[in-house]
Amino acid sequence: FLYTANNAEICQLAAIHGTYEFNVYIVPSHGISPSAAAVNKLSVKNGHLFYDGRPVAAVQLNVAIGRFLDWLQSLKRPCLLFAHNAKLFDAKHLQRALKKSNQITRFQEFVPGFCDTLPAFKEVLPTESLIAAKLAKDLLQATDSAHNALSDARMLQEYVKFSNAKVVEKHSFSFSWLQEYIQFLNQKRRSLQTLQSLINAKAISKGIAEKAARSGLSLAHLVLAFKRGGDESLSNVLKEKFHGKARVT
């Protein structure tokens, strides 16, 4: 994965199942910034992708997604995808790529969901253990050095064996849940944008605005409440129960 401005594009997609590996490079549509290239050693010149100064065979996103789905289909069984920080990063951006490629329905035929190994490893590997120390070192090296998705997948598979079925289940989530979560995040972002003027005017803190947006409140809701009943009505809206708790405290 590659961050570009406020977006993220997949430049390399890799997976592993036992000794069966998948790896593909993808030409980004927005290019690669010098700062990102310094981290992952990927660069684009004249429409061609380079890794560490050497050209690599790269394809368009829809072609890469199609090949990945073909690989998943060849496994002939449903696959739970493991990824480090899956819930906050990998799964969201893979879903975006699938949506852009119109391949969500086919993906769901092979993948019921994901397991986030970030919280899973924290649970099964005590921080003082030698295994945890080696994991932290390996992950740090993977982050600080040239990031390579296939190498990361191989490393992750080695550490997954220290987990167990109970922990895997606890930190797994379905693809349908992911799509609902993404909708929630998009709605929260839109609501928060409407509250930015209040934050700028120091009428509310960013923390309060985050809570309001998370509960589904936008500036329009607050204005409507105030028009209907002034401060008391506005206060009542903020105190309304949302998932068993007051919207804003």
Side-chain angles (χ1 to χ4, degrees), residues 192-206 209 218-220 222-223 234:
L192 188 59
Q193 287 174 343
T194 69
L195 298 171
Q196 190 60 49
S197 59
L198 298 181
I199 299 174
N200 295 340
K202 300 189 183 302
I204 60 175
S205 67
K206 185 175 181 180
S218 66
L219 180 61
L222 302 183
V223 170
L234 181 59

Side-chain angles (χ1 to χ4, degrees), residues 6-8 91-101 182:
N6 294 319
N7 226 339
K92 291 192 299 182
H93 294 296
L94 180 56
Q95 188 271 353
R96 180 189 298 173
L98 290 164
K99 184 177 181 180
K100 188 175 181 180
S101 304
I182 290 174

Side-chain angles (χ1 to χ4, degrees), residues 14 28 34 96 102 113 116 128 130 136 139 146 166 186 230:
R96 180 189 298 173
N102 296 315
D116 193 337
E128 67 275 8
L130 293 177
L139 291 175
K166 184 176 180 180
N186 289 337

Side-chain angles (χ1 to χ4, degrees), residues 16-18 80-84 115-118 120-121 124-125 131 135 152-168 172:
I16 185 171
H17 179 73
L80 184 69
L81 298 185
F82 288 73
H84 212 59
C115 176
D116 193 337
T117 58
L118 180 58
F121 287 168
V124 299
L125 300 178
I131 296 174
L135 172 63
D152 289 351
R154 290 168 177 163
M155 179 185 68
L156 196 61
Q157 181 174 247
E158 288 300 307
Y159 284 103
V160 165
K161 62 187 179 184
F162 293 107
S163 188
N164 57 68
K166 184 176 180 180
V167 172
V168 168
S172 295

Side-chain angles (χ1 to χ4, degrees), residues 15-27:
I16 185 171
H17 179 73
T19 58
Y20 196 26
E21 298 181 342
F22 174 83
N23 184 43
V24 64
Y25 284 97
I26 303 164
V27 179

Side-chain angles (χ1 to χ4, degrees), residues 132-150:
K134 187 177 188 304
L135 172 63
K137 180 181 178 181
D138 288 346
L139 291 175
L140 182 62
Q141 289 176 344
T143 301
D144 291 344
S145 62
H147 183 76
N148 184 282
L150 183 56

Side-chain angles (χ1 to χ4, degrees), residues 32 52 59 71 115 127 145 164 178 183 186:
I32 300 177
D52 199 16
V59 298
W71 182 81
C115 176
T127 55
S145 62
N164 57 68
L178 173 66
Q183 290 179 350
N186 289 337

